[in-house]
């Protein structure tokens, strides 16, 4: 798809869909490198949800590396669980051998094209470079063309040993009986080579690469990685990929690669006057699409980029949830590998459920691979420490949100509700009744803090699960025999443990007395929305709880900032939400927008992008809250086709501190309640041009607009009597600060905080993920 092929709304004047609109906009947000990146956290990264690469020159070396990863490459031994016998494994790295030592770079990662391009400077000349991981073929393509001097390029591959990454951090935990994988076998011939990494379980990883000379004298590297779990079929896969690549010109590879990415971005749009945050947001969309796709494996903590980590697995007590929120409002269900895993994961979930409860229940422990087979989930009242009980229920909330944004009935009917019913059943086995008839949960584990009866993490999840099952049961006209039980739980479940000063506790027996990076005790508010923020007393409770939580410093981390930003947005506190996102970017995020604790973890930056969504559009509780938490400094904001619960697509324009117009398109004919913020006067609702429009509307006493909007219809909301310019275009940056560039530019605006390249340390004994 070319720039001029982009879809165009028949009434709105979408400036990005014409000419070079998207290229000009995203080009102004591209990260750049004018210093040589020395490691993963300051270098460019590429990927297609399976194959991935990161680019750097380690400080003790003189040549550029492309470090390969693939989310499908893992061990398959039935011992030690997902961190050992089932662990994700590294692949190795390609070295670009220039004639001279690398002394400088001038590189740009084009977000629109998903291509790294620019020049390398060496002691022997300069080289033009273009690199990408093809969007829908497992192929790394790197084109090098010497420009000056006596430069020439060759390539070598260095395999990484197929050793569990956790062993470098916790060798004492290596399980007895775990087999060592054999050493890799490397062969080279002529313009390429191959590496075979056999596995003790019988599987194999095959890496193949070769170079070809282009008509203009450039050299193009083509590299693929293939993996098979129990046989050597990876050989055939790698050979077939290589053969297709050899028959395809580089120009055609570029064309088909760009077509995927050019169709990806226009599904939604937002623009804010903070260039650093705006660029960060669009890089997260690029990152998510580089890290996963619906037909690729579930995201691990580090994504497909295999950096040293003690957590080479999927993590269920926060990471999975934060990793996937971004795809909902941005309109990208094609990235939803969580859905795929859940649709095929019941056997793994059954194996993760403690055996006495498997007849009617499902649960998951702390970590798994994409087969969802984990250590047994926590048993309430019988688990002294780890793992948690409610992780599956929280993951199903994320799945339910995906359904709510698409209104995909088969996904709800066939996957989400059946799994949720069994996840709630697991809790029902353990509820106890006191002498007042109040229901309680025995001791369960609150993520990263401790064990307590009536743990707020689990109470909130159980409450959400029962309420959702009841709502869907009524809305779909079914008559589930457990409906009365779910209602009874809602009626009699104990109130969230709390006090008037500190707000919500961890649980009945455990107050929050030390710094806690995880907001596990606050799930009642975010993201479950089980306490009513239209109530002054509940708003006050959230404020007290946040003040106490954030006031205990020392262990707060990046996702503490993103969680706080979203909670401030729930309260309509745009300035406070922006402060927390600035905190994220100033303190926690690395030059390329990656994030680390003891190892690389991708969920935190991705959740920062979701926090920005929460500032601009919220749709929990059946209400479209448009521009609900815009900071005072953002006089101008544009959003277009952000997706809300109910499959609504929302566009809005704020100019000069005033909301000029809101457009709502109904994808499923759901009830439409709109809370417009910032209109200059009383609201008016009308059709949009000659398109199908609303069949009626009214202003309710609570200030909400109740609009009857059939599926496929859309409406325009403005101040009465106003006829604004219906243009969708980026907003101008605030102030006179130069545009911010992520990466390693030659200079950064002086008014921003430092961006360290070193991972944030984790205090021994309080590790994020033991």
């Amino acid at each position: 798809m070319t720039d001029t092929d982009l879809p165009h709304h028949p009434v709105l004047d979408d400036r990005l869909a014409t000419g070079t609109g998207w290229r000009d906009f995203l080009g102004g947000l591209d990260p750049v490198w004018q210093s040589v990146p020395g490691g993963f956290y300051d270098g460019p990264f590429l990927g297609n949800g399976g194959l991935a690469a990161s680019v750097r020159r380690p400080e003790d070396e003189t040549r550029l590396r492309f470090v390969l990863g693939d989310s499908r490459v893992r061990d398959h031994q039935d011992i030690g669980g997902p961190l050992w016998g089932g662990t994700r494994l590294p692949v190795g790295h390609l070295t670009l051998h220039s004639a001279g030592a690398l002394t400088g770079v001038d590189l740009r990662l084009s977000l629109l094209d998903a291509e790294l391009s620019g020049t390398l400077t060496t002691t022997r000349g300069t080289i033009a470079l273009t690199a990408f991981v093809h969007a829908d073929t497992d192929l790394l393509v790197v084109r090098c063309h010497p420009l000056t001097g006596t430069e020439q390029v060759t390539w070598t591959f260095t395999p990484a040993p197929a050793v569990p990454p956790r062993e470098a951090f916790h060798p004492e935990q290596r399980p007895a009986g775990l087999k060592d994988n054999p050493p890799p076998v490397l062969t080279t011939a002529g313009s390429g080579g191959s590496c075979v990494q056999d596995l003790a379980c019988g599987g194999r990883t095959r890496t193949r690469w070769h170079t070809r000379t282009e008509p203009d004298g450039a050299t193009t590297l083509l590299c693929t990685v293939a993996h098979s779990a129990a046989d050597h079929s990876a050989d055939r896969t790698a050979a077939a990929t290589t053969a297709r690549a050899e028959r395809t010109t580089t120009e055609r590879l570029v064309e088909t690669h760009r077509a995927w990415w050019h169709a990806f971005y226009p599904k939604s749009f937002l623009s804010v006057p903070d260039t650093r945050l705006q660029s960060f947001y669009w890089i997260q969309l690029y990152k998510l699409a580089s890290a996963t796709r619906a037909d690729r494996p579930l995201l691990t903590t580090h994504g497909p980029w295999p950096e040293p980590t003690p957590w080479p697995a999927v993590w269920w007590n926060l990471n999975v949830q934060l990793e996937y929120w971004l795809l909902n409002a941005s309109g990208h269900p094609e990235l939803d590998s969580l859905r795929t895993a859940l649709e095929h994961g019941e056997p793994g979930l059954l194996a993760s459920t403690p055996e006495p409860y498997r007849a009617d229940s499902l649960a998951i422990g702390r970590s798994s691979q994409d087969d969802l087979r984990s250590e047994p989930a926590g048993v309430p009242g019988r688990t002294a420490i780890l793992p948690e009980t409610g992780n599956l229920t929280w993951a199903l909330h994320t799945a339910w949100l995906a359904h709510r944004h698409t209104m995909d009935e088969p996904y709800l009917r066939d996957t989400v509700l059946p799994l949720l019913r069994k996840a709630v059943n697991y809790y029902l086995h353990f509820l106890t009744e006191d002498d007042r008839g109040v229901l309680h949960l025995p001791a369960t584990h609150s993520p990263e803090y401790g064990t307590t009866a009536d743990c707020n993490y689990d109470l909130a999840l159980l409450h959400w699960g029962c309420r959702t099952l009841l709502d869907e049961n009524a809305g779909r006209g079914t008559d589930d025999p457990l409906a009365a039980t779910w209602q009874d739980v809602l009626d009699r479940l104990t109130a969230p443990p709390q006090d008037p000063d500190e707000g919500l506790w961890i649980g009945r027996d455990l107050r929050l007395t030390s710094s806690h990076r995880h907001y596990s005790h606050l799930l009642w508010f975010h993201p479950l929305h089980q306490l009513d923020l239209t109530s002054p007393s509940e708003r006050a409770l959230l404020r007290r709880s946040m003040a106490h939580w954030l006031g205990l410093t020392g262990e707060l981390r990046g996702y503490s900032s993103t969680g706080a930003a979203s909670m401030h947005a729930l309260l309509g506190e745009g300035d406070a939400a922006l402060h927390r996102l600035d905190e994220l970017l100033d303190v926690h995020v690395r030059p390329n927008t990656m994030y680390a604790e003891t190892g690389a973890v991708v969920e935190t930056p991705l959740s920062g992008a979701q926090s920005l969504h929460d500032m601009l559009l919220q749709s929990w509780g059946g209400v479209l809250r448009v521009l609900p938490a815009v900071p005072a400094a953002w006089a101008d904001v544009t959003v277009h086709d952000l997706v809300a619960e109910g499959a609504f697509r929302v566009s809005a324009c704020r100019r000069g501190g005033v909301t000029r117009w809101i457009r709502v398109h109904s994808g499923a004919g759901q009830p439409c309640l709109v809370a417009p913020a910032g209109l200059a006067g009383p609201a008016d609702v009308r059709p949009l041009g000659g398109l199908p429009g609303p069949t009626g509307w009214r202003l309710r006493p609570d200030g909400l607009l109740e609009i009857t909007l059939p599926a496929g219809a859309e409406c325009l909301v403005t101040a009465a009597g106003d006829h604004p310019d219906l243009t969708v275009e980026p907003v101008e940056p605030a102030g006179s600060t130069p545009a911010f560039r992520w990466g390693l530019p030659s200079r950064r605006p002086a008014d921003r905080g430092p961006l360290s390249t070193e991972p944030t340390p984790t205090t021994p004994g309080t590790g994020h993920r033991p």
Side-chain angles (χ1 to χ4, degrees):
M1 178 180 290
T2 66
D3 288 337
T4 55
D5 293 329
L6 298 175
H8 193 84
H9 191 276
V11 177
L12 301 181
D13 184 8
D14 184 356
R15 299 290 173 82
L16 286 100
T18 58
T20 59
W22 275 100
R23 184 166 299 281
D24 293 342
F25 172 69
L26 288 177
L29 308 177
D30 292 341
V32 300
W33 284 264
Q34 291 160 332
S35 297
V36 179
F40 173 66
Y41 298 101
D42 57 9
F45 54 92
L46 308 166
N48 67 4
L51 181 63
S54 58
V55 184
R56 84 284 299 262
R57 183 203 64 189
E59 290 185 3
D60 58 347
E61 299 191 9
T62 60
R63 303 302 190 270
L64 198 65
R65 280 187 184 182
F66 284 72
V67 179
L68 301 180
D70 195 297
S71 58
R72 294 155 291 200
V73 174
R74 69 176 183 93
D75 213 337
H76 303 272
Q77 298 186 50
D78 292 326
I79 189 168
L83 295 175
W84 294 97
T87 183
R88 299 283 173 104
L89 293 170
V91 175
H93 66 266
L94 290 153
T95 300
L96 190 163
H97 290 279
S98 50
L102 182 65
T103 59
V105 299
D106 188 1
L107 298 170
R108 173 188 292 262
L109 178 56
S110 167
L111 298 176
L112 180 65
D113 296 335
E115 293 173 16
L116 178 69
S117 63
T119 57
L120 312 178
T121 300
T122 77
T123 55
R124 297 278 295 274
T126 58
I127 302 167
L129 177 142
T130 302
F132 58 91
V133 170
H134 195 280
D136 51 21
T137 300
D138 291 320
L139 198 68
L140 170 66
V141 181
V142 186
R143 185 181 190 275
C144 296
H145 191 180
L147 296 177
T148 65
T150 57
E151 263 304 345
Q152 55 185 354
V153 171
T154 59
W155 291 88
T156 61
F157 177 74
T158 304
V163 175
R166 191 171 179 85
E167 192 160 321
F169 295 84
H170 298 289
E172 77 285 356
Q173 296 178 1
R174 181 185 169 101
L178 184 71
K179 297 179 181 179
D180 289 329
N181 290 311
V185 177
L186 183 67
T187 59
T188 58
S191 60
S194 177
C195 180
V196 172
Q197 175 62 71
D198 283 329
L199 301 176
C201 64
R204 170 173 285 185
T205 300
R206 168 78 73 168
T207 304
R208 291 174 62 101
W209 70 97
H210 74 279
T211 60
R212 65 187 181 196
T213 302
E214 304 289 353
D216 63 357
T219 298
T220 298
L221 170 83
L222 302 171
C223 177
T224 190
V225 176
H227 178 78
S228 48
D231 56 28
H232 295 175
S233 60
D235 294 344
R236 295 193 300 273
T237 303
T241 301
T242 301
R244 286 194 301 271
E246 289 174 345
R247 296 192 301 267
T248 308
T249 66
T250 302
E251 290 76 12
R252 179 59 180 164
L253 290 172
V254 169
E255 180 184 353
T256 54
H257 167 73
R258 289 183 179 181
W260 191 95
W261 284 95
H262 290 190
F264 171 77
Y265 289 107
K267 293 182 180 178
S268 62
F269 174 73
L270 69 78
S271 177
V272 298
D274 183 328
T275 58
R276 180 175 70 153
L277 183 57
Q278 178 169 262
S279 177
F280 171 83
Y281 171 84
W282 287 97
I283 293 171
Q284 301 324 296
L285 277 179
Y286 165 80
K287 183 187 297 179
L288 187 60
S290 298
T292 196
R293 307 281 173 81
D295 61 346
R296 314 288 159 86
L298 196 58
L299 272 170
T300 57
T301 58
H302 53 83
W305 301 284
E307 291 303 299
T309 177
W311 314 306
V314 179
W315 232 258
W316 292 94
N317 67 355
L318 175 133
N319 302 69
V320 161
Q321 293 82 355
L322 272 63
E323 286 162 351
Y324 286 90
W325 287 339
L326 172 59
L327 60 82
N328 293 323
S330 60
H332 290 293
E334 75 274 19
L335 306 183
D336 196 355
S337 51
L338 175 59
R339 171 176 178 162
T340 306
L342 291 172
E343 287 176 335
H344 299 92
E346 188 160 351
L349 292 173
L350 194 64
S352 306
T353 306
E355 191 169 0
Y357 310 102
R358 291 177 182 173
D360 66 353
S361 301
L362 291 173
I364 198 166
R366 174 160 295 184
S367 59
S368 78
Q369 295 298 341
D370 46 295
D371 58 5
L372 309 193
R373 185 181 294 266
S374 76
E375 73 281 16
V379 179
R382 305 177 202 174
T383 302
I385 45 172
L386 309 176
E388 299 85 7
T389 299
N391 294 341
L392 176 59
T393 309
W394 192 8
L396 290 170
H397 174 261
T398 303
W400 177 80
L401 284 177
H403 153 72
R404 286 287 300 159
H405 283 77
T406 60
M407 298 308 295
D408 185 332
E409 171 63 19
Y411 183 38
L412 179 71
R413 180 193 65 229
D414 300 335
T415 301
V416 178
L417 291 182
L419 294 181
L420 181 58
R421 192 177 190 272
K422 292 183 177 182
V424 168
N425 276 353
Y426 188 55
Y427 278 120
L428 298 182
H429 285 288
F430 306 104
L431 286 172
T432 62
E433 183 178 353
D434 67 18
D435 55 7
R436 296 175 296 121
V438 176
L439 299 177
H440 299 272
L441 277 174
T444 57
H445 187 74
S446 186
E448 302 192 14
Y449 204 83
T451 301
T452 173
D454 288 337
C455 173
N456 266 319
Y457 176 76
D458 289 293
L459 291 177
L461 288 165
L462 174 58
H463 192 278
W464 171 80
C466 288
R467 172 172 285 177
T468 300
L469 287 168
L470 279 170
D471 289 347
E472 297 294 353
N473 184 61
R476 300 173 70 248
T478 54
D479 186 18
D480 196 296
L482 284 176
T485 301
W486 302 329
Q487 186 61 59
D488 183 59
V489 171
L490 291 182
D491 293 341
R492 296 198 292 139
L493 189 65
T494 187
Q498 60 185 278
D499 74 15
D501 299 319
E502 299 174 356
L504 292 174
W505 289 8
I506 300 298
R508 186 177 72 203
D509 309 317
L510 188 60
R511 295 168 53 195
L512 180 64
T513 59
S514 60
S515 186
H516 182 26
R517 72 194 74 191
H518 199 306
Y519 45 87
S520 52
H521 62 305
L522 301 180
L523 261 60
W524 284 102
F525 288 108
H526 172 68
L528 301 181
H529 306 297
Q530 292 304 288
L531 295 179
D532 183 9
L533 284 177
T534 65
S535 162
S537 63
E538 303 292 28
R539 293 174 69 85
L541 174 61
L542 176 55
R543 288 195 172 100
R544 288 198 309 275
S545 301
M546 289 180 66
H548 182 64
W549 168 51
L550 297 170
L552 297 169
T553 59
E555 288 299 318
L556 300 177
R557 291 293 183 265
Y559 63 86
S560 314
S561 298
T562 66
S566 290
M567 290 181 223
H568 281 301
L570 293 180
L571 294 166
E573 297 170 352
D575 289 347
L578 179 59
H579 168 75
R580 293 298 174 186
L581 288 183
D582 280 342
E583 180 179 74
L584 170 73
L585 304 190
D586 287 340
V587 178
H588 300 289
V589 171
R590 308 299 167 229
N592 63 357
T593 80
M594 289 292 182
Y595 173 79
E597 293 187 6
T598 303
V601 276
V602 299
E603 85 288 324
T604 291
L606 297 176
S607 69
Q610 175 58 32
S611 297
L612 181 56
H613 283 163
D614 291 336
M615 295 165 68
L616 303 179
L617 178 65
Q618 299 171 24
S619 53
W620 50 273
V623 177
L624 306 181
R625 300 166 183 85
V626 184
L627 306 181
V630 176
W634 293 1
D636 300 340
V637 173
T638 300
V639 300
H640 181 46
D641 275 348
L642 290 187
V643 183
E645 291 185 39
F648 294 101
R649 287 187 286 123
V650 178
S651 305
C653 176
R654 172 182 166 97
R655 294 293 183 269
V658 174
T659 300
R660 298 302 310 279
W661 55 267
I662 298 167
R663 165 260 188 175
V664 180
H665 176 277
S666 175
Q670 291 288 296
C672 181
L673 294 175
V674 178
L679 291 175
D684 181 43
V685 180
R686 58 184 184 270
L688 190 57
L691 301 175
T695 58
W697 71 277
R698 71 182 182 97
L699 177 64
R700 299 193 340 177
D702 58 7
L704 298 179
L705 301 174
E706 183 178 330
I707 305 171
T708 305
L709 202 60
E714 53 189 274
C715 67
L716 185 69
V717 180
T718 67
D722 193 9
H723 297 277
D725 177 14
L726 302 180
T727 299
V728 176
E729 62 184 348
V731 303
E732 293 296 322
S736 57
T737 303
F740 186 92
R741 293 285 188 177
W742 291 94
L744 295 176
S746 58
R747 63 182 296 274
R748 291 185 182 276
D751 63 337
R752 293 302 192 184
L755 284 165
S756 167
T757 61
E758 293 302 315
T760 303
T762 300
T763 305
T766 61
H768 181 202
R769 303 159 186 86

